[in-house]
């Protein structure tokens, strides 16, 4: 019986699943799924080749997720022979400076992962719950962790440093960067699609509910918009993006708000939702005739264009821009507005290609390539997990 690998990619409101057969030359995808934590009852959406199924789940979201994962594995086992499951791989948003690559999960690594909960409060606790749920249900099952922050370890200290007392940098207060699994996949896919561009200076824009941009040189991270936490950079669905720290001081000191209240504002009540007062979903805002909705979209695209220009400064030029993730892959209007703001760089779009979400959407006379590359974080988790398991077995 073939060994099966299951991957978990937790978000703040969903858990993405990947199912792979562990072949000699790497993982082969069998299917994928998403648990929508916003639905009542919970819904497991599964894609297996051309077959799509929506399965209501009886379990509820609890602190330990044991019942939810048990029910999910039970349903999947009926369709994918999960009695042959060999390992579980997890996306973990924050690994700090403790992890420079994927790792097998032990008691020590799990304790280290737990230390970074405060730096990624929307995602890190979910990863820990999933890891612990698998440990509870299948205590002998090997588990691996793939870290978003690890991809950015190629950045220089100049890029990672804040202008704070030196001892704070040494204590870990620095720019880490996130969405690393997405950027790793996109960089590898670009090498297949356009090796000449992949060897050059590229800015990739991961635009989803969480959003960031990354400066890539020959496929390696040189700079990124997100820094110490997942709040930094461009505005997101409900997160504020870059913010004058004096605003936080003002809210705490002059307005007397509690730390919990300020945290709630910055993570859950800001971004597109906060500016528009309507929705955190850019699709809703694009379809709205309300001035506040239009202003939220303009702020979003303005800040994305600003970040692309800033990251091009780090790279010393710009050969290509890549759009990826939910908004980046599927919303031509957002891409068009961003690129229109960068026309001074010589960027022009092919309107028909952009409307069709084609891979190459730059016009023939564009001085900068523009691509749409769907990301696949689960594939990166699977590749890293298979490599770790193979190495551990050969040791």
């Amino acid at each position: 019986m073939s060994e099966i690998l299951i991957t978990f990619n937790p978000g703040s409101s969903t858990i993405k699943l990947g199912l792979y057969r562990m072949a000699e030359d790497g993982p082969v995808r069998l299917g994928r799924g998403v648990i929508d934590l916003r639905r009542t009852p919970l819904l497991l959406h599964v894609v297996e080749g051309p077959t799509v199924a929506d399965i209501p789940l009886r379990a509820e979201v609890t602190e330990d997720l044991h019942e939810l994962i048990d029910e999910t594995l039970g349903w999947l086992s009926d369709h994918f022979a999960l009695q042959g499951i060999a390992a579980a791989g997890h996306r973990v948003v924050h690994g700090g400076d403790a992890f420079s690559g994927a790792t097998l999960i032990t008691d020590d690594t799990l304790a280290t992962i737990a230390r970074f909960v405060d730096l990624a409060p929307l995602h890190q606790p979910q990863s820990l719950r999933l890891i612990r749920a698998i440990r509870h249900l299948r205590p002998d099952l090997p588990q691996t962790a793939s870290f978003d922050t690890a991809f950015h370890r190629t950045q220089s200290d100049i890029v990672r440093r804040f202008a704070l007392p030196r001892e704070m940098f040494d204590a870990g207060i620095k720019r880490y960067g996130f969405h690393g699994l997405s950027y790793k996949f996109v960089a590898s896919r670009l090498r297949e699609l356009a090796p000449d561009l992949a060897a050059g200076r590229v800015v990739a824009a991961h635009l989803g509910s969480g959003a960031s941009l990354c400066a890539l040189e020959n496929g390696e991270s040189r700079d990124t918009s997100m820094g110490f936490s997942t709040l930094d950079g461009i505005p997101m669905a409900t997160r504020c993006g870059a913010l004058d720290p004096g605003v936080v001081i003002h809210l705490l000191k002059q307005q007397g708000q509690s730390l919990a209240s300020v945290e709630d504002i910055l993570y859950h009540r800001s971004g597109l939702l906060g500016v528009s007062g309507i929705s955190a979903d850019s699709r809703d805002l694009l379809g709205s005739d309300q001035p506040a909705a239009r202003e939220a979209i303009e702020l979003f695209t303005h800040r994305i264009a600003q970040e692309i220009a800033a990251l091009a400064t780090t790279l010393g030029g710009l050969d290509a821009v890549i759009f990826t993730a939910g908004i980046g892959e599927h919303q031509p209007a957002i891409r068009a507005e961003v690129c229109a703001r960068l026309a001074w760089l010589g960027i022009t779009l092919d309107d028909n290609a952009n409307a069709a979400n084609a891979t190459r959407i730059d016009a023939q006379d564009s001085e900068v390539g523009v691509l749409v590359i769907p990301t696949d974080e689960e594939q990166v988790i699977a590749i890293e997990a298979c490599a770790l398991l193979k190495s551990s077995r050969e040791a």
Side-chain angles (χ1 to χ4, degrees):
M1 181 183 295
S2 298
E3 290 186 320
I4 304 297
L5 169 73
I6 184 167
T7 64
F8 294 92
N9 181 356
S12 56
S13 57
T14 62
I15 301 172
K16 296 178 183 177
L17 308 171
L19 291 166
Y20 298 84
R21 177 171 57 83
M22 296 173 64
E24 183 64 29
D25 55 350
V28 178
R29 190 191 298 276
L30 300 174
R32 67 177 72 195
V34 178
I35 302 173
D36 190 340
L37 303 176
R38 298 164 296 190
R39 296 286 296 269
T40 303
L42 296 176
L43 189 71
L44 171 62
H45 177 79
V46 177
V47 178
E48 180 186 0
T51 303
V52 177
D54 287 326
I55 301 94
L57 299 174
R58 295 185 303 273
E60 298 180 355
V61 176
T62 58
E63 183 61 29
D64 59 27
L65 295 183
H66 292 174
E67 292 183 8
L68 173 61
I69 299 306
D70 190 28
E71 184 180 358
T72 299
L73 293 179
W75 189 92
L76 293 174
S77 67
D78 293 338
H79 294 76
F80 295 98
L82 286 194
Q83 59 268 32
I85 189 170
H90 300 264
R91 173 197 176 202
V92 179
V93 167
H94 213 308
D97 281 338
F99 302 101
S100 58
T103 186
L104 288 167
I105 294 174
T106 65
D107 290 343
D108 289 341
T109 56
L110 189 59
T112 303
I113 290 169
R115 288 189 356 228
F116 301 113
V117 165
D118 289 342
L119 302 186
L122 297 185
H123 300 86
Q124 204 84 347
Q126 199 80 302
S127 293
L128 288 166
R129 292 186 189 106
L130 288 167
I131 293 168
R132 289 166 177 158
I134 295 295
R135 277 190 153 198
H136 174 78
L137 297 167
R138 297 286 301 273
D140 297 328
L141 193 72
Q143 298 192 73
T144 66
S146 295
F147 299 93
D148 271 323
T149 47
F151 182 73
H152 301 293
R153 292 290 294 272
T154 52
Q155 295 178 9
S156 70
D157 283 355
I158 290 296
V159 168
R160 302 186 76 198
R161 185 180 288 277
F162 294 115
L164 293 170
R166 293 190 67 85
E167 60 269 19
M168 291 186 176
F169 180 86
D170 296 335
I173 300 178
K174 61 185 69 173
R175 303 182 73 250
Y176 291 102
F178 301 93
H179 296 126
L181 301 186
S182 177
Y183 294 128
K184 185 173 183 176
F185 180 85
V186 166
S188 67
R189 186 76 179 108
L190 183 62
R191 282 193 290 271
E192 298 171 359
L193 295 169
D196 55 329
L197 292 178
R201 301 160 299 184
V202 177
V203 172
H206 176 107
L207 306 179
S209 293
S212 71
L213 294 92
C214 180
L216 299 166
E217 183 179 35
N218 196 25
E220 292 188 344
S221 176
R222 296 288 178 253
D223 201 349
T224 186
S225 61
M226 272 187 178
F228 178 69
S229 76
T230 57
L231 283 173
D232 202 7
I234 63 174
M236 291 163 255
T238 64
R239 284 173 262 172
C240 59
L243 182 71
D244 181 344
V247 173
V248 177
I249 295 172
H250 176 80
L251 292 175
L252 292 170
K253 195 172 180 179
Q254 270 69 43
Q255 290 196 3
Q257 297 207 33
S258 68
L259 181 59
S261 173
V262 172
E263 183 177 51
D264 181 55
I265 291 170
L266 302 185
Y267 276 102
H268 302 291
R269 294 162 50 195
S270 298
L272 296 177
L273 175 63
V275 175
S276 71
I278 298 170
S279 174
D281 192 324
S282 57
R283 292 169 296 186
D284 295 337
L285 302 182
L286 286 168
S288 172
D289 59 3
Q290 295 298 311
R294 182 68 232 158
E295 187 173 44
I297 292 295
E298 288 186 4
L299 176 60
F300 186 51
T301 58
H302 170 69
R303 289 289 293 115
I304 294 168
Q306 271 192 327
E307 284 291 349
I308 291 172
L311 293 174
T313 300
T314 298
L315 294 170
L318 186 62
D319 299 310
V321 174
I322 298 171
F323 291 95
T324 192
I327 296 172
E329 295 169 25
H330 302 295
Q331 295 186 23
I334 296 295
R335 296 192 298 260
E337 287 198 30
V338 171
C339 290
R341 294 177 183 275
L342 295 169
W344 61 275
L345 280 174
I347 294 179
T348 55
L349 291 187
D350 180 320
D351 292 337
N352 291 330
N354 183 44
N357 295 322
T359 300
R360 287 295 296 256
I361 62 173
D362 47 310
Q364 287 189 347
D365 62 348
S366 182
E367 296 177 26
V368 176
V370 186
L371 297 90
V372 178
I373 299 180
T375 192
D376 193 340
E377 294 166 323
E378 292 78 31
Q379 183 71 20
V380 176
I381 298 167
I383 291 171
E384 293 186 343
C386 285
L388 279 169
L389 293 167
K390 182 178 180 180
S391 177
S392 67
R393 289 171 178 176
E394 293 174 349

